[in-house]
């Protein structure tokens, strides 16, 4: 019999995954070209050619006993050193290999950080709308998510409400910029203000409040917009990075956590996060794909393809009367719904349009439309959007 805790999790299983399964079911009935599945954030741009070349070269040339063997739980030192140097070059930081811990993607990065810092009932603040898996990750370590309401004007964090949510149980704050589901990037000014609030509150409550910056979309930026590097603004920061989107490798499960020396008791924390990698059962990040990363440090996915998708979808959506903040990054539109978001999704499904309701991101009356799909699918979906608009607005 499954545990009581697991029973709850099975019941609340991700809506996004459910929509994905629904998409596959509809495709069987209507054919692939007639279903417009905008539900999942699965990159549709193939991994850069360099990834394939690197895999072939590594498999041909590396000693298999080394390549496929166990390693330090934090990952290969030479790979971590090269990542540290690449970050230092881009952001004028001063990291060494030991500040970087290789992870099984951002999901695992978040888990090993939370495992290392949370005591039961510790609170972790998140800003709605947010990636709903955070709830599960926080509950994994008996923490409590505390939600700051959405600021639907521009989806920047509501710092006034944020201040009121911090108390002596607050252990961490998670931010995600560029953001899933809004595509919004927090400006340097916003980051500075958020960090000032946290510094003041740290002094008031007398213990660290960690800022966890979840950054799988750091590289997916469409305009000349800077994505501030958070360790430069706040000392108790963890960066959680992933190659799932930047190199289109979500199935390979590779990323890293940055723990700066400035973070309080950093050596002890680095050890704790490294051990967490082992004891959550990941042991270490996958070996072969770790060795690929140094070949691809200056390479990224085809941003132009996503930008083209964004522009087309944004114009279809707005021309049909829907309201939406134009996203600066990531690959999602977050669209206001004139009726309840779940009802909206049910009506959209009649036209084979699949979206994720905003309530699964703690922001009802919106839907997330993922545009990491083919350009052709967006073009073909135009008529379905027109029909949806006609049904809702007449
Ligand atoms: N964080 C956010 C905001 C995401 O959108 C995702 C995946 O979609 C993740 C974390 C997990 O990423 P990964 O595939 O690297 O585990």
């Amino acid at each position: 019999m499954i545990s009581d805790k697991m029973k709850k999790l099975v019941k609340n299983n991700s809506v996004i995954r459910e929509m994905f399964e629904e998409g596959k079911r509809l495709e069987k009935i209507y054919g692939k070209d007639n279903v417009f599945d905008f539900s999942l954030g699965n990159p549709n741009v193939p991994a850069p050619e360099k990834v394939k070349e690197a895999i072939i070269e590594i498999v041909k040339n590396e000693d298999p006993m080394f390549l496929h063997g166990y390693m330090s739980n934090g990952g290969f030192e030479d790979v971590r050193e090269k990542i540290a140097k690449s970050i230092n070059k881009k952001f004028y930081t001063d990291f060494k290999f030991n500040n970087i811990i290789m992870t099984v993607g951002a999901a695992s990065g978040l888990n090993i950080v939370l495992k290392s810092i949370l005591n039961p009932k510790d609170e972790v603040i998140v800003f709605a709308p947010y990636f709903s898996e955070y709830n599960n990750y926080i509950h994994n370590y008996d923490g409590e998510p505390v939600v700051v309401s959405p600021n639907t004007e521009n989806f920047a964090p509501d710092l006034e409400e944020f201040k009121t949510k911090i108390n002596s149980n607050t252990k961490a704050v998670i931010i995600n910029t560029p953001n899933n589901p809004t595509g919004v990037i927090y400006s340097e000014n916003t980051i500075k203000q958020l960090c000032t609030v946290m510094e003041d509150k740290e002094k008031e409550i007398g213990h660290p409040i960690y800022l966890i910056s979840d950054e799988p979309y750091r590289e997916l930026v469409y305009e000349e917009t800077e994505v501030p590097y958070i360790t430069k603004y706040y000392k108790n920061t963890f960066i959680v990075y992933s190659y799932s989107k930047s190199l289109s490798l979500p199935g390979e499960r590779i990323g890293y956590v940055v723990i700066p020396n400035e973070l309080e008791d950093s050596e002890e924390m680095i050890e704790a996060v490294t051990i967490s990698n082992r004891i959550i059962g990941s042991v270490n990040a996958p070996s072969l794909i770790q060795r690929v990363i140094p070949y691809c440090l200056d390479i990224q996915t085809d941003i132009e393809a996503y930008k083209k998708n964004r522009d087309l979808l944004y114009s279809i959506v707005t021309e049909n009367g829907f309201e939406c903040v134009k996203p600066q990054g990531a690959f999602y539109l977050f669209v206001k719904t004139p009726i309840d978001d779940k009802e909206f999704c049910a009506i959209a499904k009649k036209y084979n349009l699949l979206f994720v309701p905003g309530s699964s991101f703690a922001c009802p009356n919106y839907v997330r439309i993922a545009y990491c799909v083919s350009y052709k699918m967006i073009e073909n979906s135009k008529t379905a959007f027109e029909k949806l608009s006609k049904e809702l607005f007449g």
Side-chain angles (χ1 to χ4, degrees):
M1 197 163 87
I2 66 170
S3 68
D4 295 343
K5 196 170 172 181
M6 203 56 216
K7 264 187 201 146
K8 251 202 237 157
L9 292 174
V10 171
K11 197 162 157 258
N12 298 337
N13 190 22
S14 159
V15 177
I16 303 178
R17 284 274 152 190
E18 269 171 44
M19 293 302 274
F20 179 63
E21 297 305 327
E22 181 64 7
K24 286 200 291 196
R25 190 185 71 82
L26 291 175
E27 276 176 14
K28 276 193 198 136
I29 303 171
Y30 299 103
K32 207 170 168 15
D33 290 345
N34 301 313
V35 176
F36 313 111
D37 185 354
F38 292 102
S39 64
L40 200 67
N42 200 6
N44 73 306
V45 171
E49 201 50 27
K50 190 77 195 166
V51 170
K52 189 163 96 187
E53 288 166 17
I55 291 173
I56 293 168
E57 193 177 321
I58 293 164
V59 171
K60 267 191 186 159
N61 297 329
E62 294 269 24
D63 170 7
M65 298 309 289
F66 166 72
L67 180 59
H68 304 303
Y70 282 124
M71 70 185 78
S72 145
N73 299 135
F76 290 115
E77 284 187 13
D78 62 327
V79 172
R80 294 155 71 194
E81 182 69 36
K82 284 175 183 148
I83 291 173
K85 281 194 173 140
S86 156
I87 300 172
N88 294 342
K89 203 167 122 198
K90 281 185 206 151
F91 304 111
Y92 308 105
T93 47
D94 191 21
F95 300 127
K96 306 275 184 303
F97 86 88
N98 60 309
N99 300 112
I100 312 293
I101 292 163
M102 302 306 295
T103 67
V104 184
S108 152
L110 290 163
N111 271 275
I112 60 178
V113 167
L114 293 167
K115 182 169 181 66
S116 301
I117 62 174
L118 291 185
N119 290 312
K121 303 268 179 261
D122 277 350
E123 295 179 2
V124 180
I125 298 182
V126 292
F127 295 94
Y130 65 96
F131 182 54
S132 55
E133 293 289 277
Y134 293 161
N135 292 338
N136 292 328
Y137 302 162
I138 295 165
H139 286 138
N140 278 344
Y141 310 104
D142 298 320
E144 294 294 335
V146 172
V147 181
V148 175
S149 326
N151 159 16
T152 51
E153 209 172 291
N154 56 14
F155 293 110
D158 180 339
L159 295 179
E160 285 312 308
E161 186 177 323
F162 177 49
K163 278 183 207 164
T164 69
K165 295 268 159 110
I166 302 178
N167 62 55
S168 58
N169 294 327
T170 308
K171 187 52 85 61
V173 175
I174 302 179
I175 56 169
N176 166 227
T177 162
N179 183 266
N180 173 12
T182 64
V184 163
I185 295 173
Y186 294 176
S187 69
E188 184 183 33
N189 198 27
T190 298
I191 295 294
K192 280 184 176 163
Q193 288 176 13
L194 180 121
C195 294
T196 304
V197 171
M198 288 180 64
E199 271 161 12
D200 290 348
K201 289 286 181 183
E202 270 191 338
K203 279 184 208 136
E204 204 178 299
I205 63 179
H207 65 71
I209 306 172
Y210 297 104
L211 181 53
I212 304 172
S213 181
D214 178 27
E215 305 193 350
Y217 302 97
R218 167 166 282 281
E219 263 50 83
L220 270 61
V221 175
Y222 303 114
E223 326 294 345
E224 288 288 298
T225 316
E226 194 203 342
V227 184
Y229 205 74
I230 309 295
T231 58
K232 290 159 70 173
Y233 302 87
Y234 189 73
K235 75 183 181 91
N236 284 322
T237 295
F238 294 93
I239 304 283
V240 176
Y241 186 85
S242 162
Y243 294 96
S244 291
K245 322 283 174 172
S246 63
L247 290 178
S248 292
L249 293 173
E252 299 299 342
R253 315 303 306 134
I254 187 75
Y256 59 80
V257 169
V258 181
I259 304 176
N261 290 341
E262 293 73 30
L263 183 132
E264 204 160 301
D265 300 322
S266 68
E267 272 182 39
E268 196 186 17
M269 190 63 81
I270 289 169
E271 200 184 350
V273 173
T274 308
I275 292 171
S276 294
N277 233 346
R278 184 173 82 235
I279 62 185
I280 65 164
S282 306
V283 182
N284 57 256
S287 170
L288 172 58
I289 207 74
Q290 261 194 70
R291 301 221 60 81
V292 168
I293 297 305
Y295 291 77
C296 302
L297 288 170
D298 297 319
I299 290 174
Q300 60 180 32
T301 188
D302 180 5
I303 300 290
E304 282 311 306
Y306 291 130
K307 186 169 188 241
K308 232 176 111 192
N309 283 1
R310 177 198 67 162
D311 291 343
L312 177 62
L313 191 63
Y314 181 77
S315 61
I316 292 175
V317 162
T318 50
E319 276 161 22
N320 279 293
F322 299 106
E323 262 180 61
C324 163
V325 173
K326 191 166 187 181
Q328 303 156 288
F331 39 47
Y332 309 104
L333 291 191
F334 204 51
V335 177
K336 197 166 165 42
T337 57
I339 52 170
D340 170 80
D341 52 326
K342 287 188 179 134
E343 255 177 71
F344 182 89
C345 287
I347 295 175
K349 214 163 77 177
K350 286 201 308 198
Y351 305 108
N352 289 343
L353 287 165
L354 298 183
F355 312 134
V356 180
S359 38
S360 4
F361 301 92
C363 187
N365 299 328
Y366 281 82
V367 284
R368 188 191 77 173
I369 310 185
Y371 54 83
C372 42
V373 296
S374 74
Y375 190 75
K376 194 162 181 296
M377 187 182 112
I378 301 175
E379 279 181 325
N380 291 347
S381 69
K382 195 165 181 254
T383 316
F385 273 101
E386 283 162 5
K387 287 183 187 158
L388 177 65
S389 166
K390 198 150 182 245
E391 172 156 355
L392 292 165
F393 302 121

